[in-house]
Each structure stands twice: as C-alpha cells, then as structure tokens.
Amino acid sequence: MESAFDAQLLHALEVDGRAPFSRIAAVLGVSDQTVARRYRKLVADGGLRVVAVRDHERLGQEQWMLRLRCAPDSSQTIASALARRPDTSWIGLTSGGTEVICCTRPRTRTDQDDLLLGKLPRTPHIVDLQAQQVLHRFFGGPNGWLIKHGPLSAEQVAALRPPAVRTPTAADGLARIDPEDEPLVAALERDGRATYPELQQATGRSESAVKRRLAGLLASGAIFIDIEYDAALVGYHVMAMFWITTAPWALDTVGKALAEHEEIAYAVAVAGASNVMANAVTRDIPALYAYLNGKLGRLDGVQHVETAPYLRRIKQLTYRPGPR
C-alpha cells in the first residue's frame, strides 16, 4: 500500500515539485501529515530530492554524452570525480564496471574544452573516450517518466499543475538566465522546495521580486523543477542505456516512437557512431529482454542496438558520496 502511495506522491512532485503538501494531500485524498511523513521517509530512505535543473536545450547550450572505458580498478574513482562536478549528471557504471557513462553540460566553451580536450584525455586509466553531442531531445527533461505509468489520473494531474505553466515553443526563442538570477537558481539547485523567505535570504531580493523572477524562469523553460529518486521504490529495479543506430530517414520517427514507450525515461538524438541514445527503466531483466525483443526490436528503421545495463548509479541529478 505504501509503495502505491509513494508512486502517487512522486508523480505529484513530478507534476509540480513546489506544490504545497496541503494541495498534494487534497488531490490524493489524504491528510497533510500523511504527505509530509511519506515525503520525509522518501528523502531519508529513498534518496528523494527536489531540485531545479537548467534546461540546456531551451538555453541553447551544448550537452555531451560521454563513454569512458576504464581500467577495472579505476572506474569508481573516475566516476566519483566526475560526479562532484556541477556540470555532470546521469553518471553510472556499465559493462561490468569497466565503463563510465556521463552526461556533461558545460556552462561555457572554456569549461567544455577543459574537460573534453584537457582533463579527461590526460586522466590515467582511461583507456578510451567517446563523446557524442546531444542534438535533440525526444523525451525527458521537464517531462517526467512516471506520467507514462499513470499513478495519478488526468484529473489529478490537472489539479496539481500550476495554472500559469505552459510548454515553451521554438517561436518563443531561447530562454536565458541573467547574471542576477544566478543566486536564485543556485539556491533552487540545492533545494527546489526552498520557501520564498529562504530564497529571499539567499538572493537579497524582496519576496515579491523572487516570486516574479522564479515564475518567469519557469514559464520561459530556462529551468524546471525535477525530482531524483531510486526507481526501485516503485518496483522498477533495472536501468539500461541503449545506443541505437537508425537509418538516416528513420531518426525522427524512431525517436518519437521511443518517447511514447513506457520503458523509456530519456531519449535524445546524438552525433556519433550511433544516432540515438535512450535510458530504459524496467521492473526486472525479463522485462528488459521483452522490450528489446518486442517494441524496440520491431521499430522500423532500427539497424543496431547496443545495450548497457547499469551496474551502479553514481549520480542522477545531484551527488551524494557513499559511506567511507
């Protein structure tokens, strides 16, 4: 019973990570205290965090997917070092622990060159480095994966969604984060549920100014509020990375099809040896096999699929060092 309620609570936070517990409780039909208690439990035991994320696609900034083949005794150390960087996410160990997968989002060209051309090539025990630039997002970012599994009804989602939120379009142009916004964004990157008085203290701006600017940043798509958690909490125990090669004419249709598959939590077009990268989450290994042999294997235009199950996740959105 608690697992089903946890899935509903996580879905509610995907819809609006800053929603007051009272509004979530009203939609879920429980007390405020029940929501607060389960939230604290998920934070303590399930690694739940609500944080702001910069949408680099909306900001027009580059993203890279890195594959680092390492000496077996060094992958954990290299992955942990990358995880401590503020410009990395989705770091995991695959291929029996010999490969590190990492998404990096350098803020500047200098940062990008320093990492890709400087630090990583000179790092001992990295046997091979592949860097694939992200070209287009099919699914992920502001779109939460749990919506595909329907813990909440469409009516509940509508009741939770902030009324002023709309999906930005290409016609809006690129979003921007001004230098004076940085203290506000940094505070939300630490805690996406920080209260307005806390944000006022962090920025030195008035509470009304903080409210207006936060609303503007969210409306423009410059940032979104996301959640990280262990998918095993809701019964999904296997994560895998797919590197997919499609025929050139099928790239867009395959990507859009993946976006509709309930197993896919993230899918992007990339430049490199493969042209699609996707993250899958399944209940178990048989479910992963069924997906590979079924929906994915039957997609017209797919020429090759390389599958790399995660052995261990080092970082999702934020880094928490393990016990020493």
Side-chain angles (χ1 to χ4, degrees):
M1 187 66 177
E2 282 188 343
S3 176
F5 179 76
D6 288 349
Q8 290 183 319
L9 176 54
L10 291 170
H11 190 182
L13 291 169
E14 272 193 352
V15 175
D16 183 2
R18 289 183 58 81
F21 287 156
S22 57
R23 181 149 60 93
I24 296 175
V27 170
L28 299 186
V30 297
S31 68
D32 298 10
Q33 292 80 8
T34 297
V35 171
R37 176 178 59 82
R38 289 309 301 169
Y39 177 83
R40 290 192 294 268
K41 182 72 171 175
L42 289 172
V43 169
D45 298 340
L48 172 62
R49 289 203 68 195
V50 180
V51 293
V53 178
R54 299 166 193 254
D55 191 334
H56 289 253
E57 185 161 299
R58 286 287 303 129
L59 292 167
Q61 298 171 341
E62 295 184 359
Q63 298 181 71
W64 295 79
M65 295 302 304
L66 308 181
R67 302 181 68 181
L68 311 176
R69 191 156 56 89
C70 309
D73 60 348
S74 62
S75 56
Q76 176 77 49
T77 301
I78 291 170
S80 296
L82 284 168
R84 289 191 288 270
R85 293 177 60 99
D87 58 356
T88 61
S89 61
W90 291 103
I91 299 176
L93 302 182
T94 66
S95 304
T98 61
E99 186 172 84
V100 177
I101 305 292
C102 172
C103 176
T104 179
R105 300 164 175 173
R107 302 276 178 87
T108 67
R109 174 70 67 173
T110 300
D111 289 345
Q112 174 182 304
D113 291 349
D114 180 53
L115 179 64
L116 298 182
L117 303 179
K119 287 186 171 63
L120 290 178
R122 292 197 300 267
T123 300
H125 308 298
I126 292 182
V127 178
D128 183 54
L129 164 62
Q130 296 182 41
Q132 294 184 266
Q133 187 174 14
V134 175
L135 304 177
H136 176 72
R137 183 174 61 213
F138 297 110
F139 187 81
N143 299 310
W145 166 74
L146 278 170
I147 197 169
K148 295 183 176 184
H149 298 271
L152 300 181
S153 68
E155 292 76 14
Q156 288 174 309
V157 169
L160 283 163
R161 198 177 300 283
V165 168
R166 70 175 185 86
T167 302
T169 67
D172 296 319
L174 292 176
R176 59 182 294 170
I177 296 175
D178 295 325
E180 57 266 30
D181 296 326
E182 288 295 340
L184 173 60
V185 175
L188 290 164
E189 286 175 327
R190 292 189 295 271
D191 179 7
R193 291 185 62 84
T195 64
Y196 287 115
E198 289 170 338
L199 295 175
Q200 178 185 6
Q201 184 176 14
T203 61
R205 303 165 79 173
S206 69
E207 187 169 324
S208 60
V210 166
K211 287 182 179 180
R212 284 195 304 271
R213 192 56 194 137
L214 175 53
L217 289 168
L218 292 171
S220 72
I223 65 171
F224 58 92
I225 305 299
D226 203 357
I227 61 172
E228 65 175 7
Y229 59 94
D230 184 353
L233 289 170
V234 289
Y236 291 81
H237 300 275
V238 174
M239 290 184 60
M241 184 79 79
F242 297 144
W243 304 94
I244 302 169
T245 303
T246 75
W249 60 264
L251 175 58
D252 193 60
T253 55
V254 168
K256 289 176 177 177
L258 290 172
E260 298 298 322
H261 291 178
E262 67 179 23
E263 294 85 358
I264 298 300
Y266 183 68
V268 290
V270 293
S274 55
N275 49 11
V276 175
M277 189 284 296
N279 243 331
V281 185
T282 63
R283 291 192 178 276
D284 49 32
I285 294 296
L288 176 62
Y289 174 76
Y291 177 65
L292 282 166
N293 189 49
K295 283 186 286 188
L296 181 56
R298 290 195 297 265
L299 278 181
D300 193 22
V302 170
Q303 297 177 330
H304 179 74
V305 178
E306 181 182 354
T307 307
Y310 279 90
L311 180 67
R312 181 180 306 161
R313 188 183 73 185
I314 306 298
K315 180 181 184 180
Q316 187 171 339
L317 300 172
T318 63
Y319 176 55
R320 292 185 176 186
R324 293 182 179 275

